[in-house]
Amino acid sequence: MNVAAPVFAALALVLTGPVPMALSRATWTHRVPRAALVLWQAIALAAVLSAFGSGLAIASQLLVPGPDGRPTTSPAREIDALGVPLWSLYVIVFALTVLVGARLIYTGIRVGVRTRRRRAQHRMLVDLLDRSDSPVARTRSSYVRVLDTPEPIAYCLPGVRRRVVLSEGTFTSLGDPELRAVLAHERSHLRARHDLVLEFFTAVHEAFPRFVRSASALGAVALLVELLADDSAVRTTGPTPLARALATCANSVAPQGALGLGGTTTLLRVQRLATPAAPRRIAVIAYLSSVAILVVPTIAVALPWLVELERLLRS
């Protein structure tokens, strides 16, 4: 039991700092974005579970046997058994764990409310400015909105009342194959609810202190989400129309809460379309690593803790 808490704490620190930093610099993830995204999710979830595991392991140390042999939470008896310095350290670590849990709940709610409020405001705006009846508009989907601007713009607003927002410049700059690629890309975001994945990572990122979290993790995950949508568009139109659409809409900037086609990673995404598919073993290794990161440490550290807790409860 004395080993469980520091092991959990070390796992939480490693999985929120060094591991995300190293993975965000890897380039093999671009070739297997789905497997890489699963790996990212496993790392984030394992970090959260490890942080809670450390706090629970500390809490179990505070359960000292009482006069009848049963575990007690009396501070006086805990201090007598552990000593003031060790008892204080355990209480502080447990309080920090509770704080991380509270911050995770708070940031999850805050990120969700903030994002949905922005989307609702922007959705109302694009509905008011909609020019779907424009002569250049070549789509009649009920959730597509057209803005009166010559710059090529393409992004989507996920949610129950979803929207795909295009500009008149997008229609005049792109041919039909490229336009289909754009719509396939944005529909992939909406169908797969990539926005929920980004919300989860944003909440976890903001919940942990700045000195341990990796700032590059969010950017890496956002790129993988775009690569997944690119792959969906390629299956619909092929790589060439999508590459042309990406180059045309490279300067398109999506508002906060939206998922856009363009951005600073456009060149990397276009170059990726010309690279051969990755060997299947890379994805298999990524999936197996996800399972190992999430399951193996948890079992190795949690089982001794559960056995000790059961012994205390039965004593």
Side-chain angles (χ1 to χ4, degrees), residues 58-65 71-84 86-88 90-91:
I58 289 294
S60 69
Q61 294 290 314
L62 296 174
L63 295 175
V64 297
T72 179
T73 56
S74 170
R77 295 189 181 278
E78 293 168 1
I79 292 174
D80 290 339
L82 301 172
V84 175
L86 190 57
W87 178 85
S88 301
Y90 284 173
V91 170

Side-chain angles (χ1 to χ4, degrees), residues 143-280:
Y143 54 86
V144 174
R145 299 294 182 264
V146 180
L147 301 181
D148 181 14
T149 176
E151 298 295 328
I153 296 174
Y155 60 87
C156 66
L157 295 169
V160 177
R161 299 175 58 193
R162 58 184 185 174
R163 296 288 186 271
V164 172
V165 182
L166 306 175
S167 66
E168 290 187 348
T170 304
F171 289 99
T172 57
S173 302
L174 300 179
D176 287 340
E178 290 77 17
L179 183 60
R180 287 197 300 271
V182 170
L183 292 175
H185 177 98
E186 301 304 338
R187 286 167 179 162
S188 175
H189 282 318
L190 298 175
R191 182 174 58 253
R193 293 309 306 265
H194 291 152
D195 58 301
L196 297 180
V197 176
L198 293 176
E199 280 187 31
F200 166 73
F201 278 97
T202 302
V204 172
H205 176 78
E206 294 184 5
F208 281 90
R210 293 184 179 181
F211 66 90
V212 297
R213 68 194 184 194
S214 173
S216 56
L218 283 178
V221 172
L223 173 59
L224 292 177
V225 164
E226 293 301 327
L227 298 183
L228 283 174
D230 287 346
D231 290 344
S232 180
V234 168
R235 289 191 292 270
T236 301
T237 64
T240 302
L242 176 61
R244 292 172 179 167
L246 288 173
T248 302
C249 300
N251 295 326
S252 174
V253 179
Q256 290 185 328
L259 296 171
L261 181 70
T264 57
T265 60
T266 299
L267 179 59
L268 184 152
R269 291 160 60 192
V270 171
Q271 293 174 340
R272 174 179 175 268
L273 295 175
T275 60
R280 182 169 297 182

